[in-house]
Amino acid sequence: MGWLIALGIVFLLAVLQTSFFSVIRVFSAVPDLVLPAVVAIAVYDRERTGTIAGIIGGYFVDALGGVGLSLSPLVYMICGCGAALLVYSILRRDFFSWLVITAGALVISGIAALICVAVNVESAAFTVSQAFSRLLVPQFFASLVAGIPVYFIIKLVWLSFFNNREMEG
């Protein structure tokens, strides 16, 4: 049942990210709402749900964003599974853990975006340093700030649907 709830949340956030935030930008960038949501879902559930939410969230972002196929499903899957495993083995289920994992996930996502920019023929006039300073850094901070309310919404949803016994790995 957790993956169904995750699917609905991720879909709604992907629609919000690609429609509302494509017009209204935070720090002159479109924030990634889905990756912080995938990490939050993984923090409050198991690695299976985090992995499923990551794959589906990546496909939703690619499909709704009009970018075409990219590395998003792979990156989001790795971040979702990794977040759940980190919380299960090392970290706690709290805001600070989510913040640290989300920051790391956004860095991984940024590296994947740099790879996509580097291999894209159309972006030959766009250097890596320009992509880093104009795209990746603003998107990192925009996603981290916009992801904070997403975290608290997912925490509220998860705690209202599942009790603590079910959440223990």
Side-chain angles (χ1 to χ4, degrees):
M1 177 156 152
W3 65 272
L4 284 173
I5 295 170
L7 176 71
I9 291 171
V10 166
F11 178 74
L12 289 174
L13 288 173
V15 168
L16 184 66
Q17 174 181 323
T18 57
S19 61
F20 179 72
F21 280 109
S22 64
V23 177
I24 298 175
R25 297 171 181 257
V26 179
F27 297 123
S28 73
V30 176
D32 188 347
L33 300 176
V34 177
L35 187 55
V38 166
V39 172
I41 289 166
V43 164
Y44 284 100
D45 209 306
R46 296 185 176 100
E47 63 271 6
R48 180 181 67 203
T49 306
T51 302
I52 292 170
I55 293 171
I56 293 172
Y59 281 120
F60 282 158
V61 168
D62 286 349
L64 296 173
V67 178
L69 195 59
S70 70
L71 296 175
S72 298
L74 177 65
V75 170
Y76 288 24
M77 177 195 70
I78 291 169
C79 293
C81 183
L85 291 173
L86 280 171
V87 168
Y88 180 70
S89 60
I90 299 171
L91 301 173
R92 299 176 54 189
R93 286 185 164 95
D94 60 6
F95 176 74
F96 181 73
S97 297
W98 171 84
L99 192 65
V100 169
I101 296 170
T102 300
L106 289 169
V107 168
I108 293 169
S109 177
I111 291 169
L114 273 179
I115 291 170
C116 290
V117 166
V119 298
N120 191 353
V121 177
E122 297 172 6
S123 66
F126 213 11
T127 65
V128 173
S129 65
Q130 288 174 332
F132 187 78
S133 64
R134 293 182 186 171
L135 297 173
L136 299 180
V137 171
Q139 186 175 14
F140 174 85
F141 288 110
S143 300
L144 205 57
V145 168
I148 291 172
V150 170
Y151 165 80
F152 286 109
I153 291 169
I154 289 174
K155 180 180 179 179
L156 181 68
V157 168
W158 240 256
L159 292 179
S160 65
F161 278 100
F162 307 105
N163 63 30
N164 288 334
R165 188 171 41 94
E166 289 175 335
M167 289 179 6
E168 293 302 320

